[in-house]
Each structure stands twice: as C-alpha cells, then as structure tokens.
C-alpha cells in the first residue's frame, strides 16, 4: 500500500487475481473489484462497472451517494462522472482499493486517458491495483518517479522449491527432493503449471515419466497438463466442460437453459471440488467463469473436434441468454455462431437498452460486426446513424443517413421505409441543426414529409436530458446558442410534429422547453410562461424528470423576476416531489442549488447557506463539471458571507472544468458571478474584464436575463463598464461588444434600484474581506441583528468583528468608523 498505484504484470496463470484476493482478505481492506474482458472497451461501460464496484465494496456511505453517480454515467461527460466519483471518495476516510483485473483486455485510448486522470486525483488514502498479462497500456512512469507506484512481476510470483513443496503437501502429494527440483525447473515456478501437475500427480504412479513428459513454453506446458487432467475425468464432466466453455460468464440457470440440463449447479460444484479452475465472479448470484487458460484449452479442443458443435453451442447460448432477457450476451453468441440475421434481429430489440445505458461504442461495434456479413436493414442503419450522432461523430452519422437516402430512392423499399419517416425527420433535423444549415431543413421538410408521421419508439420515447437543470445546457439545446434562426426552426419543428400527431412526444416537448428557456433569456416572459404552461399540461412531461425539472426551474425564475418568491418556491417543490417519486435523486442537487439562489435573492443568507450545506460541497475539493450550477451558487453564498477569495477560487475551478464543454450558457453565468465577486471585493478592473467576457457571449445570443436577474449590483457594474468604454474608445480590448447592447441591457432593469455597497480600500493593516463587507453593511445603516442574519452569524460574533474593525481604523464607535471610511473614500 506504499503508493497510489500497484501494478501486477505477469503471464496468465501466475496467480495475480489470487494474490490480490488473499491480500485483501488478510489485510481486511475493502476492494472495489472489476473483472474485465474484451467487451469492456467501451468508456461508459467501463466507468459504470467502476462506480458499481465501489457501491458493491460495502462502504455504507457510498451506497446512496454513488447511486447518484451511477445515474450520471450514461448522460454526462466523462470528466463530470470521474470528478463526482473522486469527490465522493474524498469524503470516505476508510481506504478502498479499486482492483482492475485482466486490464490487458482494454485497448481504448479514452479509457487509458480517463484512468490516468482518475489516478492523478485519487485521494491519498485510496489505492488502485491493476492486474495485467503484459505491461499496462498507459504511461505510469511519473508515479514510479514519485515513489507512488509499486510493481509486482513474474519474478515475485514464481514459486520457489520450498513453496512448491508446501503447495504439493497441501494437495496431499509427497515429493522427493529431486522431483520437487524437476517440477520447479520444468514449470519455472508457474503456479498454474504446478496446480495442473498436482492434479495429475494425485493419480500418477510414474512421477518421473509425468514430469519429464512436459517441456517448453507455458502454453505447451498447460496444454499438455490440461490434456492429462481432462483424459482422467468422467465423460459427463468432460461433456459439460466442452458445452459450457463457450460462455465467458455463466451461472447454473443459463447452462441449464442452453443445454436442456437440470444438473448444472451440481456439475459446477463438482468442478470446484476438483479444483478445476472455476472462478467465482460474485458472492451472491452464482456467476462464474473458467480460468482464461483453461477456457482457451477447452475451446481449442471443441473447435478441433467439431466446428459444427462449436457453432451450435454458441447458438444455444444465444437462445438461453435471449430467454433471460440478456440481449447483449445473446447478440455476442449469435455473432459467434455466425447467425448474423438473428444477431441483427436481436440488435433491433437491444437498441433501447443500449441507448439508455449509454454504451454506444459497444452498440456500434456489434452493428459493424453484423454489417460485415449481412446487409443492414433500414431500421438498423437509422439506429446506427443515431448512435453516431449521440457520440458526436456527425461525419459518420451523415454518411449513414446518405445510405438511407439511397434506399428512399428505391420504390420497392417504400413499404419498409414508411415506418421510418419519423426517425428520418429527427436524424436529418439534427444533422442540419448541428451544422447550421437551417435553410436546408425547410426544404427537407417540404419534400420528405407527407401525411401522418409514424411514431418510432426510439425517438418518440428517448430521454434527451439525464442530468442538466436546463435543456439549453445540453447538446440538444445547442449549449446556449440563441438566434432568430434557432427560434424559427424550433417553431417550425414543433409545428410539423404537432400537425402530425407528435405533440406530446418527448422530442417535441424538449424543443418546446428549449424555446421556453430561450424566451426567458430574451426577457420575453409572457411567451416563456405560455410554453411553461403548455409543457406542464403533458402527462409525459410530468413523468420525465429531465424535462419537468428544467420546466419548473424556468417557472421559478419567471416568478422570481416578478417578485413572487412564494410561487417560485412552490415550483421548485413540485420538481423535488417528482424527482423523489421517480427515485432520481441526483436532480435534488441542482434543485437545492436553485432554491439556495432564490433565498439569496430574498436577502435570506441563513436559509440559502442551510440549503447549500446539504449538497456536501467543499472549497477544498476540485468541483465536478456537471455540478456547475451548485458550485456557482456556492460561490454566491461565499461572496454573500464576505469570503470573496474562496468564492473566486471555486469559480476559477469550475470554469476550468467546464470550458472544454463549450457551453455558452454556463461560461457566461460563471463569468458574470466572477465579475460581481471582483466588484464587491473592490477589484473594479478585474470585474470589468470578467463582465466583458460574459458580454462577448451574451450579445450574439441576445442574452438579457442572465444579466438583469443579478439586480442592482449588475446595473451598477454595467454603468461602470460603459463609463470605462467611453473613456477608452477604440481600444482593441472592447471588441465583440457594442454600447448599444449595454444600453439595451440597462433599459431592462427596473427604474428604481437601491444603491449597492462598494468594497473598501485596504489599509496598511488591511481589513479582511469579511470585515470590509461588514463595514459596507454598516454604511447601509444595518443594525447588528440584521448583519448577523445576513451573514448567518451570531450577534456576539458581529460585535467581535466590529471591535476588530474599530481597532484597525483607530476609532471607538460605529459613527466614527463610518466617518473614517468616507474620509478615505471607501464608500459613497
């Protein structure tokens, strides 16, 4: 446990997994164990397994918190998932070792890169153990140089003569010294070789002949010894082994179903009793696998005996998994049995699950394997294009859609293609939206769609938002992009869908919600409210948290903009109730953040602070990018407490985490909060610079409420910005923002605003930020009780702060302190 990373690299059968398991048991340390195979070259699947392994580790505090993370895997960016997982592990003081067994199966660069990031930020008391047949596939030299990596190789795993004696004695075999020496020499201390030899020796009279009989590489040794073992087994066990070797994982039920048996549980127990390389994969559900070397030997023997049986057994396995509803396994075995048309049929049934789980890479790999042998149906082509689109591979999606277009030109396929019109509408629309070719969408709709659109369940029921509190934040919502074109196309899209009977489909409702949020941003509150009411009337919307949560947040903002805070809280309460009812508790995080922000608008810091404290945020942990809304509100809370430095650190971190996602909406909000924080701490130049960054995003998209919702302090900052611009006319730093836009924003603020406090200038013995802020509140005439309530402090603590302020100013009363501050031009 010296370093954060332990690598155990040795050939198959060297005892890597056994070593880790026995060490963990003796050390009484929790493990999060992931057994990997070739199918795990899918980034989403890999991290889902990692998260679930931590949940299964038995650490009580992780069960609830990581269930939230597990819900994020399919619908969030990879860094967001990893950051959230790291944050949760930081809160767990008990060390947990993540075990990645058989890591050599993973070849995907995205997995290696994401794991490197995870190891870099892993809390110091946790560990990662990687077991691999060869050197790990990413650069780990930096951890070795830092003394944070421990390597265990074949040399450490080889059995010595004494250990070989002990091993054989434990198996009931007494060897002469020369036999032990020969055995070590022949096997080179390779534990699987020793294990196989011990099994053969139990029934062997001529030990010298048996040991001399195997020689050469590990592969040759194991092949010889496996043959020795297998030839001595009863035929019913041999038959069972050859039948079930086609499984990479199995339990008694699937063995019984596949081969019409009723004794599979007993057979597996017999194999365990014979020590025949059956490895348990869990402690509860009975899933097992054969050791990889043993499985490989059995498969080679089956193939050499009968290729027909090899294909037939895979087909039976496919049927058994299909009966169990485990379609991914059924598809893999159908492909291995070369029943490609059957695999294609099962792929169509598997698509909804694959999309929901987010395992798009695995889905595309299976589709491409089938496509290499049989022509894909139009429906599978459409789903392939959809998967490419969800992965952001627009070029491949467009190529696949072109193949579909060619099919549309064939009149004999008209009947097959008719049910796919709705899917084609979606695919073409999104491709044109993402590339900004809005005018082409108009012509596409005109010539392609006639009559009533059929409902394709994949697109009709697909949930396009799993984690974002606003639809405009998602790729579906164009990540905050707003323009007259997006409004026009959105309206036309809704019109087409509603005219063809798709008014209550999720795709239509999501477009309506995106328009609704856009209208709010443009300060068209009446239009926004009208669409809010339209969505809330849909039963489907009230069953889909990814739609209803953003809808209620938008309604809360409309109410708050009108000063109706009670109704705003009620809107958020509705969303909370739905999230709890659906068991989708991860939505409670952004909802609590929005409620805390609402309390701040009501000048109720104590309630806001209490609300945000439930989110377990920290100013010492790197924030996850998917939690931008929570950390932004947290920064607002810190600022309201006078902790501006801590607030800026949080904002810098979350801005760095979200910049790579290129979401205009998020970047603008973070820059706005940064600007206001700098303004309150007296850094006018920095505040204007941050504000300019937000305005550069805001003007081309017509953002209004992002600025106006900040209230009087933002109005004052905008005026300061305008004054600075008028003094520095023509300077290159102001490019991208017109004064007309600033004037338009200022016109949208209510006419009567109270002046907001400015920060004080530091003395030779400076006031702290907290003390500076309290002095500003004094300047507003706030009594001690009000200051205490605003900062969530006791009146006694406020008095302590005031005595420190008086001492630094060289005064003895509130009146003298205010006079000194005005004399130094610290406040108006």
């Amino acid at each position: 446990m010296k370093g954060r990373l332990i690598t155990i690299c040795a050939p198959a059968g060297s005892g890597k997994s056994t070593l880790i398991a026995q060490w963990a048991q003796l050390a009484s340390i929790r493990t999060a164990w992931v057994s990997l195979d070739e199918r795990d070259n899918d980034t989403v699947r890999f991290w889902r397994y990692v998260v679930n392994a931590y949940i299964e580790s038995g650490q009580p505090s992780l069960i609830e918190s990581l269930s939230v993370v597990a819900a994020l895997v399919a619908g969030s960016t990879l860094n967001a998932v990893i950051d959230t997982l790291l944050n949760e592990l930081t809160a767990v003081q008990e060390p947990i070792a993540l075990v990645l067994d058989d890591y050599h199966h993973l070849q995907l660069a995205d997995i290696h890169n994401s794991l490197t990031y995870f190891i870099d930020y892993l809390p110091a008391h946790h560990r990662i153990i990687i077991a691999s047949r060869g050197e790990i596939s990413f650069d780990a030299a930096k951890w070795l140089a830092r003394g944070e990596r421990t390597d265990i190789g074949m040399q450490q795993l080889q059995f010595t003569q004494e250990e070989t004696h002990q091993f054989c004695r434990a198996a009931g075999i007494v060897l002469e010294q020369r036999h032990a020496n020969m055995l070590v020499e022949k096997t080179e201390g390779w534990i699987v070789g020793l294990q196989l030899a011990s099994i053969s020796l139990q029934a062997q009279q001529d030990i010298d002949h048996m040991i001399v009989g195997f020689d050469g590489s590990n592969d040759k040794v194991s092949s010889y010894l496996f043959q020795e073992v297998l030839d001595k087994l009863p035929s019913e066990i041999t038959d069972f082994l050859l039948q079930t070797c086609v499984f990479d994982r199995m339990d008694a039920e699937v063995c019984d179903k596949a081969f019409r048996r009723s004794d599979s549980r007993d057979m597996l127990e017999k194999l365990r009793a014979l020590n025949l390389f059956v490895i348990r994969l869990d402690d509860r559900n009975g899933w097992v696998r054969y050791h990889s070397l043993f499985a490989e030997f059995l498969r080679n023997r089956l193939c050499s005996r009968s290729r027909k049986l090899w294909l037939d057994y895979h087909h039976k396995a496919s049927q058994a998994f299909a009966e169990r509803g485990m379609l991914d396994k059924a598809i893999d075995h159908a492909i291995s049995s070369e029943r490609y048309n059957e695999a294609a049929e099962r792929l169509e049934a598997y698509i909804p699950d694959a999309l929901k789980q987010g395992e798009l890479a695995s889905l595309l790999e299976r589709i491409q394997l089938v496509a290499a042998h049989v022509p894909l149906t139009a429906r599978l082509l459409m789903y392939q294009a959809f998967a490419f689109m969800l992965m952001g591979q627009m070029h491949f999606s467009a190529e696949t859609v072109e193949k579909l277009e060619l099919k549309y030109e064939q009149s004999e396929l008209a009947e097959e293609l008719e049910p796919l019109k709705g899917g084609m509408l979606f695919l073409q629309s999104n491709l044109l939206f993402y590339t900004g070719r809005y005018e082409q969408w108009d012509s596409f709709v005109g010539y392609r769609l006639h009559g009533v659109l059929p409902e394709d369940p994949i697109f009709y029921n697909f949930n396009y938002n799993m984690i974002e509190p606003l639809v405009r934040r998602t790729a579906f919502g164009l990540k905050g992009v707003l323009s007259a074109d997006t409004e026009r196309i959105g309206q036309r899209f809704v019109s087409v869908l509603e005219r063809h009977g798709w008014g209550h489909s999720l795709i239509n409702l999501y477009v309506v919600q995106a328009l609704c949020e856009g209208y709010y941003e443009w300060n068209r509150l009446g239009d926004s409210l009208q669409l809010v009411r339209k969505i809330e009337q849909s039963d489907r919307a009230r069953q889909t948290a990814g739609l209803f949560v953003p809808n209620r947040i938008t309604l809360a903002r409309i109410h708050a903009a009108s000063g109706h805070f009670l109704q705003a809280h009620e809107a958020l309460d509705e969303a909370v109730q739905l999230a709890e009812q659906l068991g989708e508790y991860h939505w409670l995080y952004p909802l609590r953040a929005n409620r805390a922000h609402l309390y701040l608008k009501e000048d109720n810091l104590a309630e806001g602070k209490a609300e945000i404290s439930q989110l377990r945020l920290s100013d010492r942990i790197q924030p996850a990018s998917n939690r931008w809304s929570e950390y932004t509100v947290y920064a607002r809370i810190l600022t309201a407490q006078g902790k501006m430095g801590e607030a800026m650190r949080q904002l810098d971190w979350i801005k760095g985490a979200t910049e790579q996602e290129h979401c205009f909406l998020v970047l603008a909000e973070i820059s706005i909060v940064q600007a206001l924080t700098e303004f309150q701490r007296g850094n006018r130049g920095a505040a204007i610079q941050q504000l300019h960054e937000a305005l550069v995003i805001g003007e081309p998209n017509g953002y209004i409420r992002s600025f106006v919702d900040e209230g009087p302090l933002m109005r004052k900052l905008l005026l300061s910005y305008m004054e600075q611009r008028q003094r520095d006319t023509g300077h290159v730093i102001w490019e991208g923002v017109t004064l007309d836009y600033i004037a338009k924003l200022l016109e949208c603020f209510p006419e009567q605003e109270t002046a907001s406090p400015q920060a004080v200038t530091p003395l030779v013995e400076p006031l702290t930020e907290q003390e500076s802020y309290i002095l500003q509140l004094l300047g507003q005439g706030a009594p001690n009780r009000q200051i205490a309530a605003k900062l969530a402090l006791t009146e006694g603590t406020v008095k302590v702060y005031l005595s420190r302020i008086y001492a630094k100013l060289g005064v003895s009363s509130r009146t003298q302190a205010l006079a000194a501050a005005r004399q130094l031009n610290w406040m108006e």
Side-chain angles (χ1 to χ4, degrees):
M1 293 291 280
K2 179 182 177 182
R4 69 177 61 211
L5 174 64
I6 300 95
T7 57
I8 307 176
C9 300
S14 300
K16 301 182 292 294
S17 304
T18 304
L19 170 66
I20 300 168
Q22 290 183 348
W23 163 79
Q25 185 176 12
L26 290 171
S28 299
I29 188 170
R30 294 186 190 274
T31 61
W33 195 297
V34 183
S35 296
L36 299 161
D37 59 36
E38 294 88 346
R39 286 296 181 193
D40 297 327
N41 279 285
D42 182 305
T43 311
V44 172
R45 172 182 285 200
F46 173 78
W47 284 104
R48 175 179 287 111
Y49 285 171
V50 169
V51 171
N52 286 334
Y54 274 114
I55 293 173
E56 294 294 329
S57 70
Q59 221 297 328
S61 65
L62 288 179
I63 295 174
E64 180 179 350
S65 63
L66 288 191
S67 64
V68 174
V69 182
L72 301 178
V73 175
S76 185
T77 60
L78 186 58
N79 280 351
V81 172
I82 296 174
D83 288 343
T84 306
L85 175 58
L86 288 168
N87 286 345
E88 297 300 336
L89 290 177
T90 301
V92 176
Q93 296 306 311
E94 180 186 5
I96 301 173
L98 171 64
V99 179
L100 300 177
D101 200 6
D102 288 334
Y103 192 81
H104 55 272
H105 286 305
L106 301 185
Q107 307 298 327
L108 197 64
D110 284 348
I111 293 179
H112 300 323
N113 295 337
S114 61
L115 183 61
T116 300
Y117 176 85
F118 183 72
I119 298 171
D120 269 334
Y121 291 99
L122 187 71
H125 54 291
H126 293 295
R127 298 290 180 270
I128 292 182
I129 304 174
I130 297 178
S132 174
R133 291 186 188 177
E135 286 299 314
I136 57 176
S137 304
F138 56 87
D139 185 9
K142 59 183 176 182
W143 297 301
L144 191 61
R146 298 172 189 164
E148 295 182 340
R149 173 181 169 188
T150 300
D151 290 321
I152 299 173
M154 186 60 194
Q155 186 175 359
Q156 286 82 29
L157 295 175
Q158 289 172 330
F159 274 46
T160 64
Q161 288 184 6
E162 177 57 32
E163 289 165 345
T164 301
H165 263 299
Q166 292 178 21
F167 180 80
C168 290
R169 281 197 298 270
I173 301 166
V174 179
L175 294 180
E176 297 178 20
Q177 184 63 44
R178 65 187 182 88
H179 289 149
N181 294 345
M182 289 173 63
L183 198 55
V184 171
E185 181 183 349
K186 292 291 187 179
T187 63
E188 297 182 341
W190 183 48
I191 180 56
V192 160
L194 293 172
Q195 186 175 357
L196 284 163
S198 71
I199 296 172
S200 296
L201 287 168
Q202 290 174 6
Q204 182 62 253
Q205 301 297 321
D206 190 348
I207 294 178
D208 289 280
H209 175 76
M210 197 282 295
I211 296 178
V212 171
F214 62 89
D215 200 357
S217 65
N218 284 351
D219 289 344
K220 292 180 180 178
V221 171
S222 63
S223 180
Y224 172 82
L225 292 172
F226 278 133
Q227 190 68 52
E228 284 282 310
V229 170
L230 210 63
D231 287 345
K232 295 178 174 61
L233 293 174
S235 59
E236 65 269 17
I237 291 182
T238 304
D239 291 342
F240 180 80
L241 287 169
L242 292 177
Q243 285 178 335
T244 56
C245 71
V246 297
F247 294 114
D248 56 359
R249 304 178 186 211
M250 58 188 164
D251 65 358
E253 182 182 346
V254 77
C255 295
D256 282 344
K257 281 182 178 293
F259 303 108
R260 301 296 182 260
R261 306 181 68 103
S262 59
D263 61 346
S264 296
R265 192 175 302 281
D266 291 338
M267 294 300 293
L268 289 172
E269 289 300 327
K270 287 180 181 179
L271 294 178
R272 288 197 193 97
L274 291 169
N275 203 19
L276 272 178
F277 306 98
V278 177
I279 299 172
R280 292 179 182 270
L281 296 178
D282 59 52
D283 295 328
R284 295 176 296 175
N285 299 320
W287 286 93
V288 299
R289 68 174 174 89
Y290 295 130
H291 189 285
S292 55
L293 285 175
F294 191 37
E296 184 179 353
F297 169 79
L298 292 171
R299 289 165 187 166
N300 288 336
R301 179 159 178 165
L302 176 60
C303 284
S304 62
R305 176 178 291 184
S306 171
R307 173 171 167 76
K308 181 179 182 302
L309 279 179
W310 168 259
L311 297 176
D312 184 50
Y313 288 170
H314 269 296
H315 186 227
K316 290 178 183 297
S318 176
Q319 292 176 315
F321 277 120
E323 287 182 37
R324 292 277 294 275
M326 302 171 71
L327 291 178
D328 55 341
K329 295 289 186 188
I331 293 164
D332 293 341
H333 284 289
I335 292 172
S336 296
S337 69
E338 300 181 4
R339 307 289 182 102
Y340 298 109
N341 286 318
E342 192 171 305
E345 291 176 8
R346 289 189 173 138
L347 264 171
E348 289 194 19
Y350 172 62
I351 296 286
D353 288 339
L355 293 177
K356 184 177 181 180
Q357 294 167 358
E359 296 180 6
L360 302 175
S362 299
L363 173 62
L364 286 171
E365 180 186 0
R366 291 182 173 108
I367 291 176
Q368 287 160 348
L369 282 171
V370 171
H373 296 89
V374 296
L376 293 181
T377 64
R379 186 176 295 279
L380 266 183
L381 274 174
M382 187 172 68
Y383 295 154
Q384 184 182 35
F386 187 35
F388 278 132
M389 183 179 295
L390 292 175
M391 291 187 71
Q393 298 179 20
M394 296 303 170
H395 173 72
F396 293 112
S397 182
E399 283 186 346
T400 310
V401 169
E402 286 179 12
K403 295 177 185 177
L404 277 167
E405 286 286 347
L406 292 175
K407 287 182 176 288
Y408 266 99
E409 295 175 5
Q410 303 173 41
S411 57
E412 65 272 18
L413 297 177
E415 186 175 347
E416 177 189 355
L417 296 172
E418 180 63 26
L420 307 183
K421 279 185 175 181
M424 283 295 291
L425 169 68
F426 173 84
L427 290 172
Q428 287 282 27
S429 296
N430 276 276
L431 284 172
L432 296 175
F433 288 168
Y434 282 123
T435 54
R437 295 175 291 162
Y438 304 119
E439 70 288 345
Q440 292 186 30
W441 188 84
D442 285 315
S443 59
F444 162 74
V445 170
Y447 82 84
R448 175 67 71 215
L449 300 177
H450 305 285
V452 177
L453 284 172
E455 295 179 5
D456 187 295
I458 295 296
F459 305 110
Y460 188 87
N461 294 318
F462 188 74
N463 187 3
Y464 299 93
N465 180 30
M466 301 297 291
I467 62 168
E468 293 297 346
L470 291 175
V471 173
R472 286 176 55 228
R473 165 73 168 87
T474 67
F476 184 89
L478 301 180
K479 295 193 172 184
V481 172
L482 290 176
S483 70
D485 279 333
T486 61
E487 179 190 12
R488 178 177 57 81
I489 295 299
Q491 289 176 337
R492 179 83 190 278
F493 190 83
V494 169
S495 173
V496 170
L497 264 63
E498 291 182 349
R499 190 167 66 250
H500 289 84
W502 275 24
H504 292 285
S505 66
L506 279 182
I507 181 175
N508 184 65
L509 293 170
Y510 269 117
V511 173
V512 173
Q513 178 60 31
L515 284 169
C516 170
E517 294 172 20
Y519 287 149
Y520 177 80
E521 183 60 64
W522 282 347
N523 204 29
R524 291 164 56 178
L525 302 187
D527 292 336
S528 180
L529 182 60
Q530 183 179 357
L531 295 186
V532 163
R533 299 306 185 195
K534 180 176 182 178
I535 291 171
E536 71 182 14
Q537 293 171 7
S538 167
D539 290 337
R540 188 181 293 275
R542 289 183 172 274
Q543 298 166 5
T544 309
L547 177 61
F548 194 67
V549 168
N551 182 263
R552 296 297 90 178
I553 289 175
T554 305
L555 178 59
R557 292 184 174 187
I558 293 171
H559 285 315
S562 305
H564 301 143
F565 293 108
L566 178 60
Q567 291 92 324
H569 282 290
E570 290 172 351
L572 295 180
D573 287 343
E574 284 187 86
V576 168
Q577 290 169 9
L578 178 72
E580 292 176 340
Q581 177 185 332
L582 296 176
E584 297 184 26
Y585 298 106
H586 62 282
W587 290 110
L588 300 181
Y589 288 75
L591 285 169
R592 286 194 176 113
N594 273 272
R595 180 175 285 145
H597 191 190
L598 198 57
Y599 281 130
L600 284 182
K601 291 181 178 181
E602 295 177 273
D603 203 24
N604 190 343
L605 176 61
E607 290 290 349
K609 185 179 176 183
E611 194 72 39
I612 211 74
S613 68
Q614 298 182 55
L615 302 183
R616 296 195 305 148
L617 305 178
S618 171
D619 55 359
R620 294 181 297 276
I621 300 175
Q622 180 79 12
S625 60
N626 66 297
R627 302 188 72 179
W628 65 272
S629 62
E630 296 124 75
Y631 273 94
T632 304
V633 175
Y634 181 44
R636 294 177 185 275
I637 297 283
L638 291 171
T639 299
Q641 293 177 278
K643 301 176 181 179
M644 283 79 164
E646 295 177 33
M648 286 303 298
R649 184 166 63 253
Q650 289 296 316
L651 291 167
D652 287 339
W653 278 356
I654 198 65
K655 194 172 190 177
T658 57
E659 275 180 337
Q660 62 184 334
E661 298 177 31
H662 306 293
C663 179
F664 297 120
L665 171 69
V666 175
L667 293 175
E669 178 166 349
I670 295 173
S671 293
I672 285 170
V673 181
Q674 285 177 315
L676 293 172
T677 302
E678 293 284 22
F679 197 48
Q680 290 184 80
R681 70 195 304 204
N683 295 336
R684 181 174 174 275
I688 287 176
Q689 181 180 349
Q690 294 288 356
L691 177 62
H692 182 74
E693 290 184 17
L695 293 168
V696 167
I697 296 172
E699 180 161 9
N701 293 289
Y703 289 2
I704 294 176
R705 294 306 312 188
S706 287
F707 299 92
V708 173
D709 283 347
E710 300 298 337
L713 191 61
M714 173 55 73
R715 182 177 183 276
K716 189 171 184 177
L717 179 54
L718 284 168
L719 288 169
S720 185
Y721 176 90
M722 179 174 278
E723 292 169 3
Q724 188 70 36
R725 285 283 303 268
Q726 290 169 342
R727 285 197 297 268
D728 298 340
T729 56
H731 202 292
V732 68
I733 63 170
W734 306 118
E735 287 184 358
V737 180
T738 66
L739 289 178
D740 287 343
Y741 178 52
I742 307 302
K744 180 180 179 181
L745 290 176
L746 289 169
E747 289 174 359
C748 295
F749 284 86
E751 291 186 5
Q752 293 184 347
E753 300 286 353
T754 57
S756 81
Q758 286 186 332
V760 300
T761 303
L763 297 172
V764 175
E765 184 183 358
L767 299 181
T768 66
E769 288 183 341
Q770 185 88 325
E771 291 166 348
S772 299
Y773 193 49
I774 289 174
L775 187 58
Q776 294 174 41
L777 295 176
L778 288 180
Q780 297 176 28
N784 290 357
R785 185 181 69 259
Q786 185 177 339
I787 294 173
K790 190 170 185 64
L791 298 181
L793 303 171
T794 65
E795 288 192 56
T797 302
V798 171
K799 290 178 181 178
V800 172
Y801 272 113
L802 289 176
S803 65
R804 291 176 185 169
I805 293 169
Y806 297 164
K808 290 181 179 182
L809 291 174
V811 300
S812 58
S813 69
R814 172 186 292 239
T815 303
Q816 292 173 352
L818 294 175
R822 292 190 180 95
Q823 186 176 3
L824 292 169
N825 295 319
W826 288 356
M827 58 182 62
E828 295 176 354

